[in-house]
Amino acid sequence: MKRVNGIYEENLKALFEKKLIKNNYNFNKIPFILFGAGNLGLRTLTGLKKIGIKPVAFGDNDEKKMDTSINGIEVFSKEKIMSKYGDNILIVLTIWKGSTGKEKRVSTLIKGLQEFGFKHVVDITKLYNDYPDTFLPYYCIGNPENVYSSEDKILECYKLFDDVISKKQYYEQVKWRISHDNWEEFVDVDYNTYFQRDLYELNENDIIYDCGAFDGDTIRALLHKKLCFKKIISFEPDKNNFDKLKKFVEKQESYIQKKIQMFEYAVGNKEEILLFDATGDADSKVSNNGDSKVKSITIDNFAKENPQNIPTIIKMDIEGFEREALLGSEIIIKQQKPILAICVYHKQSDLWEIPLLINKISDGYKFYLRHHVGDCWDTVLYAIPKERRKIKEKQVCVK
């Protein structure tokens, strides 16, 4: 086992010993297709227009989009692309979703296009990395140069992880942030999120802070698995999402409703009013370009004002605002050491910055990394106090 751990550390160090050679595809000189006429395709087209580059067409598998036009760019099936442009046309895959299922993975989609006959198929990072000022950052896709400049922190963070699974996933994620050439490592990773029985067990005394409650998806998962808990405190600042959350909770049996409290707040590092991009879906987030305003609180202040509801578990999926929320939780983390389940995929550097921050706040944790949805979506850091790192016999709680 020690040798296995050492291999990942050696491989990680090797990433920094020799910079990978950047491939420039000359998108400004050769014709190419954007394959995927959804949100990512539209985002990419908008960026290309800013720099004066125009794809020859969109490609898509959705029959409803065939032979239509999006912002002046025609949408074709792969059959029509082949007949019109031939097998040498460059295909840029503009599909990268946090969806479960192998068939939706980037590596699967690329392989399918190659098997169809296209000789040159690349993922979206090849285009984005050529024009970082226009396209980056985009979730955990960032300029690879930023990874190289964070070498010391990345190597320091690696030492925090407690098991081989975490060490391997951390290495693969760092490598992906540099080269984006190991998509195949993120195919078989559809697991249950936040409540990993191989890491910790919930109990009837747990008070869970659900930060980024969305429409109640985390609560839904808890109830579906009949997991134990005493109370859930939900925070969701998007009004439309909050209304969905309320409707979901109101449909539950009365004894469940009594165990759930909901607050239409964001969580951050101070109490203030923030600009917010309220999309009414899972992508809602704090943003300087937000079209609405929301109230932000700190977990420390909330817990102080509600001493009967001190959290034993804190889950955060708040679209890149996790670091700020953790800074607003320092007292609770230091004094109470709740289990932390924190998303680290919204920003490139969250993968190492967030574990290092938590370890700086308190040295009483063991750290684990689990990747719950393929292609680097839903990557969660688990910081577990040493006394909670044990597995009990399976429990089923009904009430």
Side-chain angles (χ1 to χ4, degrees):
M1 187 65 69
K2 185 175 181 181
R3 176 56 182 160
V4 173
N5 290 339
I7 288 174
Y8 293 123
E9 185 171 12
E10 291 168 9
N11 290 347
L12 187 63
K13 291 178 179 178
L15 293 177
F16 298 99
E17 291 174 359
K18 184 178 180 180
K19 286 193 176 184
L20 297 175
I21 298 173
K22 180 181 177 182
N23 294 313
N24 191 309
Y25 288 86
N26 296 315
F27 293 100
N28 60 334
K29 296 180 180 178
I30 62 175
F32 63 92
I33 303 284
L34 296 180
F35 198 91
N39 291 335
L40 182 56
L42 293 175
R43 180 186 192 272
T44 304
L45 180 62
T46 299
L48 288 171
K49 285 186 174 182
K50 290 179 180 179
I51 55 180
I53 298 176
K54 184 178 180 180
V56 298
F58 271 116
D60 205 278
N61 291 320
D62 186 349
E63 293 183 0
K64 295 178 181 178
K65 296 178 181 178
M66 295 302 101
D67 299 315
T68 63
S69 178
I70 299 178
N71 293 343
I73 305 297
E74 293 181 288
V75 184
F76 300 134
S77 66
K78 56 180 178 288
E79 290 82 4
K80 190 163 185 177
I81 293 170
M82 183 67 77
S83 65
K84 190 176 178 68
Y85 300 104
D87 59 5
N88 267 316
I89 187 74
L90 176 61
I91 305 291
V92 180
L93 184 69
T94 46
I95 300 173
W96 182 49
K97 296 181 178 180
S99 303
T100 58
K102 293 181 182 180
E103 72 281 357
K104 298 178 182 178
R105 298 289 183 261
V106 167
S107 59
T108 305
L109 294 168
I110 288 177
K111 183 179 180 181
L113 289 166
Q114 291 171 335
E115 290 178 345
F116 186 78
F118 294 112
K119 295 179 179 178
H120 310 288
V121 186
V122 299
D123 65 80
I124 190 60
T125 66
K126 307 305 182 286
L127 174 59
Y128 278 24
N129 286 337
D130 270 6
Y131 302 96
D133 293 341
T134 299
F135 293 111
L136 299 178
Y138 181 62
Y139 287 94
C140 49
I141 301 176
N143 193 326
E145 293 299 326
N146 297 334
V147 182
Y148 287 119
S149 64
S150 301
E151 176 181 357
D152 290 344
K153 288 184 176 181
I154 290 170
L155 295 176
E156 179 185 356
C157 180
Y158 173 86
K159 297 176 182 178
L160 295 177
F161 293 108
D162 195 55
D163 66 341
V164 175
I165 294 174
S166 300
K167 292 175 186 294
K168 180 182 187 302
Q169 291 199 9
Y170 182 73
Y171 162 73
E172 295 292 354
Q173 291 251 0
V174 173
K175 181 182 178 183
W176 182 85
R177 279 160 172 74
I178 294 174
S179 66
H180 303 102
D181 65 356
N182 56 332
W183 292 95
E184 68 281 354
E185 292 294 335
F186 309 114
V187 173
D188 266 332
V189 287
D190 292 334
Y191 308 123
N192 295 318
T193 313
Y194 306 125
F195 307 109
Q196 287 286 107
R197 289 198 69 251
D198 66 319
L199 298 180
Y200 73 96
E201 192 83 50
L202 278 81
N203 63 56
E204 62 277 2
N205 296 314
D206 275 322
I207 297 177
I208 304 167
Y209 279 23
D210 182 8
C211 305
F214 183 36
D215 62 358
D217 56 342
T218 301
I219 301 172
R220 192 176 295 112
L222 278 165
L223 299 180
H224 176 71
K225 297 177 190 177
K226 294 182 171 60
L227 296 175
C228 303
F229 65 92
K230 180 179 181 180
K231 191 174 291 186
I232 299 173
I233 312 295
S234 295
F235 300 98
E236 175 52 55
D238 184 304
K239 186 181 187 311
N240 289 328
N241 288 342
F242 188 79
D243 289 342
K244 295 174 191 174
L245 171 65
K246 282 183 64 178
K247 289 179 181 178
F248 169 72
V249 172
E250 288 168 357
K251 291 179 181 179
Q252 307 308 310
E253 295 183 55
S254 59
Y255 78 91
I256 292 294
Q257 293 187 40
K258 291 176 182 178
K259 298 171 73 171
I260 301 172
Q261 295 182 17
M262 298 165 285
F263 298 90
E264 199 173 338
Y265 301 147
V267 290
N269 60 333
K270 57 184 175 181
E271 296 194 353
E272 58 182 334
I273 301 299
L274 295 169
L275 290 176
F276 194 78
D277 188 6
T279 60
D281 57 27
D283 294 328
S284 296
K285 59 182 178 294
V286 173
S287 170
N288 291 332
N289 300 316
D291 54 5
S292 62
K293 295 181 179 180
V294 298
K295 180 180 179 180
S296 172
I297 63 163
T298 71
I299 287 177
D300 282 341
N301 285 345
F302 183 88
K304 183 178 180 180
E305 294 169 4
N306 297 271
Q308 75 282 9
N309 290 329
I310 301 298
T312 61
I313 300 173
I314 298 175
K315 162 254 172 176
M316 291 184 184
D317 184 0
I318 48 179
E319 301 301 312
F321 214 59
E322 286 83 4
R323 187 176 187 277
E324 288 79 359
L326 286 167
L327 289 172
S329 312
E330 284 191 71
I331 296 173
I332 282 294
I333 293 172
K334 284 179 181 178
Q335 295 180 353
Q336 305 295 332
K337 293 202 296 292
I339 292 171
L340 304 174
I342 313 297
C343 287
V344 291
Y345 68 97
H346 295 116
K347 294 180 179 179
Q348 181 191 58
S349 62
D350 281 352
L351 184 68
W352 53 88
E353 293 286 1
I354 286 178
L356 290 172
L357 172 61
I358 295 171
N359 190 60
K360 182 178 179 181
I361 294 172
S362 172
D363 61 0
Y365 284 97
K366 290 181 176 290
F367 292 86
Y368 304 87
L369 195 67
R370 293 292 185 269
H371 187 179
H372 296 286
V373 175
D375 293 343
C376 293
W377 294 99
D378 288 24
T379 303
V380 178
L381 171 77
Y382 295 89
I384 304 177
K386 296 166 185 177
E387 57 270 22
R388 289 293 301 265
R389 180 62 181 102
K390 57 186 178 181
I391 306 300
K392 301 177 182 178
E393 291 300 316
K394 184 176 181 180
Q395 295 176 315
V396 176
C397 290
V398 179
K399 294 187 179 182

